Amino acid sequence: MICSTLRRVGHMHIYLVRKASSVSKGHHQQTVGSRPAASEFAARGASGNVLELLGKSYPQDNYSNLSRKVLSRVGRNLHNQQHHPLWLIKERVKEHFYQQYVGRFGTPLFSVYDDLSPVVTIWQNFDSLLIPADHPSRKKGDNYYVNGTHMLRAHTSAHQWDLLHAGLDAFLVVGDVYRRDQIDSQHYPVFHQLEGVRLFSKHELFTGIKDGESLQLFEQSSRSAYKQETHTMEATKLVEFDLKQTLTRLVTHLFGDAGAQDQIGWAFGLGLERLAMILYDIPDIRLFWSEDERFLKQFRVSDINQKVKFQPLSKYPAVINDISFWLPSENYTENDFYDLVRTIGGDLVEKVELIDKFEHPKTHKTSHCYRITYRHMERTLSQREVRRVHQAVQEAAVQLLGVEGRF
């Protein structure tokens, strides 16, 4: 699959395209009563170690960078847990596509795949989408690599090549995706995507168009083993119009009025958390991982289209602590620090902000100061218990990131 056009609209990624499932599924609990050890930061292993993940074994190497925090989320599949808010969004989208898009024999045009393994090959995640080997999206600092050949998918598009080459031309893919990112109420290292793909043959695209039999999908240009010729303007405009109609109908349904050989098509991607946060007024992305009955019971509705407005459990007070350190001369990335804080602090960490940078005029060493906001979603934290976690973060930063503390 090649993306001939990519546009970002809000939090939706839209493409015009052409085609050339062990860790424990139990909820990971963060205990603040005892100090987490720095050795618990990562599941990295020396070359020769083996990671068991979703029933398969993966040898570890110097590319492996999975944290225990992230591993505890693999296999949870929130989008498949009945009455979870992410499940509700998925089911509403499925219902819309099943009702609005029907095939020749009265069956749904779009098939749905929501249980594909999040462990994919690097080829599936990048090369199959023609992402160059030196593209910045492949950076180790932005992705979770199992080893040098496998990773946790960074997008559900990692499955497009396989599904298209299986002969599918209209499908939805839903699943958990993994990216190393900043820490705030809108970002989490695991989130959920839903994407749709549809391809059209020349007959399907131009039927009903005046003089459609004379129109072509492609211009007279070169074709390679990796991509098709350039799309004609007529084909591109018709596919854009179909995508616009598809998304407009879907948004109206949710919110109310508020590379084949000889095919061309579109694809779109939606973040389920972002949709649910808007639809249900959920203020913090960490809540999706809550097992508190006060949260979950609000979404046990008899009708998936029933309006739900999240009622806050309570706004417990925050506990704020700062951490400052001198950066090592090389191999430091902010995402490494964010990953460390997430692993040790767990979901107690609401936000991490870089509030100050300083370069020493003589040594030219750089210092960072981060402000960490701790807030429990279900009870009040004490400064004493937060201090234990914060001190563990300080110690781990020195041991694992090579920083020089200014504590």
Side-chain angles (χ1 to χ4, degrees):
M1 175 78 68
I2 307 173
C3 301
S4 59
T5 303
L6 166 60
R7 299 184 181 132
R8 182 167 181 171
V9 181
H11 298 293
M12 296 188 291
H13 291 280
I14 302 172
Y15 308 85
L16 288 183
V17 298
R18 47 194 174 183
K19 173 185 169 189
S21 263
S22 166
V23 296
S24 172
K25 294 186 180 180
H27 181 55
H28 176 69
Q29 298 289 341
Q30 173 66 46
T31 302
V32 299
S34 57
R35 183 184 306 169
S39 61
E40 293 180 358
F41 165 56
R44 300 184 182 96
S47 181
N49 288 353
V50 174
L51 173 67
E52 298 293 332
L53 188 58
L54 298 178
K56 293 186 178 181
S57 300
Y58 299 93
Q60 302 292 276
D61 55 31
N62 60 1
Y63 237 76
S64 307
N65 68 345
L66 296 181
S67 67
R68 296 190 185 280
K69 171 72 174 180
V70 167
L71 283 173
S72 72
R73 299 313 196 208
V74 179
R76 287 286 301 277
N77 297 325
L78 299 182
H79 61 289
N80 287 335
Q81 293 183 18
Q82 192 171 20
H83 298 299
H84 190 279
L86 298 182
W87 176 85
L88 289 175
I89 297 291
K90 181 194 74 170
E91 292 300 310
R92 292 181 67 180
V93 174
K94 282 172 54 180
E95 178 187 68
H96 172 75
F97 275 86
Y98 284 172
Q99 292 178 351
Q100 294 293 320
Y101 303 94
V102 180
R104 287 179 296 173
F105 304 106
T107 56
L109 179 66
F110 284 80
S111 51
V112 178
Y113 299 87
D114 60 6
D115 59 354
L116 301 174
S117 173
V119 182
V120 298
T121 64
I122 293 174
W123 187 91
Q124 287 175 299
N125 199 82
F126 296 119
D127 299 276
S128 70
L129 300 169
L130 302 189
I131 297 174
D134 59 351
H135 196 276
S137 65
R138 293 178 180 249
K139 288 191 304 184
K140 187 175 177 181
D142 292 340
N143 298 283
Y144 287 105
Y145 285 94
V146 177
N147 54 33
T149 59
H150 289 78
M151 64 185 296
L152 296 180
R153 62 189 170 206
H155 43 226
T156 49
S157 301
H159 303 288
Q160 284 186 4
W161 193 96
D162 295 313
L163 295 173
L164 289 169
H165 283 76
L168 300 172
D169 56 16
F171 55 85
L172 303 177
V173 182
V174 193
D176 44 338
V177 298
Y178 300 77
R179 296 181 194 169
R180 305 179 81 198
D181 211 338
Q182 63 199 72
I183 301 177
D184 57 37
S185 63
Q186 302 289 317
H187 295 86
Y188 203 79
V190 190
F191 57 102
H192 297 75
Q193 281 187 341
L194 181 150
E195 73 172 69
V197 175
R198 186 176 184 186
L199 300 183
F200 302 86
S201 65
K202 176 182 174 181
H203 173 74
E204 290 170 325
L205 191 60
F206 295 129
T207 294
I209 303 298
K210 184 179 179 180
D211 299 324
E213 64 277 1
S214 65
L215 299 177
Q216 301 296 322
L217 291 180
F218 310 105
E219 295 179 357
Q220 296 301 313
S221 55
S222 62
R223 172 184 288 228
S224 72
Y226 301 101
K227 65 178 182 179
Q228 303 161 321
E229 305 93 327
T230 302
H231 300 152
T232 63
M233 183 61 71
E234 296 84 2
T236 299
K237 289 299 182 183
L238 285 170
V239 172
E240 285 181 345
F241 180 72
D242 188 85
L243 174 57
K244 181 179 179 180
Q245 279 195 320
T246 300
L247 290 176
T248 299
R249 290 170 180 166
L250 175 59
V251 170
T252 300
H253 173 71
L254 292 175
F255 294 95
D257 293 328
Q261 288 292 323
D262 295 296
Q263 293 175 297
I264 183 175
W266 52 248
F268 69 83
L270 306 173
L272 294 187
E273 278 86 351
R274 297 297 173 86
L275 287 175
M277 291 174 83
I278 295 171
L279 279 169
Y280 304 135
D281 289 333
I282 298 174
D284 194 305
I285 198 169
R286 293 175 297 165
L287 279 164
F288 292 104
W289 297 92
S290 174
E291 294 188 333
D292 192 318
E293 272 296 303
R294 293 174 297 169
F295 173 76
L296 297 174
K297 70 180 181 182
Q298 297 185 42
F299 302 95
R300 295 196 183 109
V301 293
S302 57
D303 181 356
I304 60 174
N305 293 304
Q306 180 177 328
K307 289 186 177 181
V308 178
K309 180 177 175 60
F310 170 68
Q311 299 300 315
L313 309 183
S314 183
K315 191 66 173 180
Y316 295 100
V319 178
I320 297 174
N321 285 262
D322 294 347
I323 177 173
S324 299
F325 46 76
W326 297 105
L327 305 188
S329 58
E330 57 184 14
N331 298 327
Y332 174 83
T333 66
E334 286 190 27
N335 280 347
D336 284 338
F337 178 66
Y338 294 148
D339 218 30
L340 181 148
V341 174
R342 282 193 187 278
T343 300
I344 294 179
D347 287 348
L348 298 181
V349 180
E350 178 178 87
K351 189 175 184 179
V352 178
E353 298 175 273
L354 177 60
I355 60 173
D356 185 56
K357 288 184 179 181
F358 169 72
E359 182 175 337
H360 195 284
K362 293 184 178 180
T363 65
H364 299 292
K365 294 172 64 175
T366 300
S367 172
H368 280 188
C369 180
Y370 294 90
R371 177 154 294 163
I372 304 179
T373 301
Y374 298 89
R375 192 196 309 267
H376 202 292
M377 303 300 294
E378 298 158 9
R379 64 179 177 83
T380 299
L381 288 173
S382 69
Q383 179 63 261
R384 182 179 179 181
E385 58 185 338
V386 167
R387 191 179 298 116
R388 296 192 188 100
V389 178
H390 194 72
Q391 187 174 344
V393 170
Q394 293 174 332
E395 294 174 357
V398 172
Q399 295 177 31
L400 300 172
L401 302 183
V403 305
E404 182 183 342
R406 302 180 68 190
F407 314 140

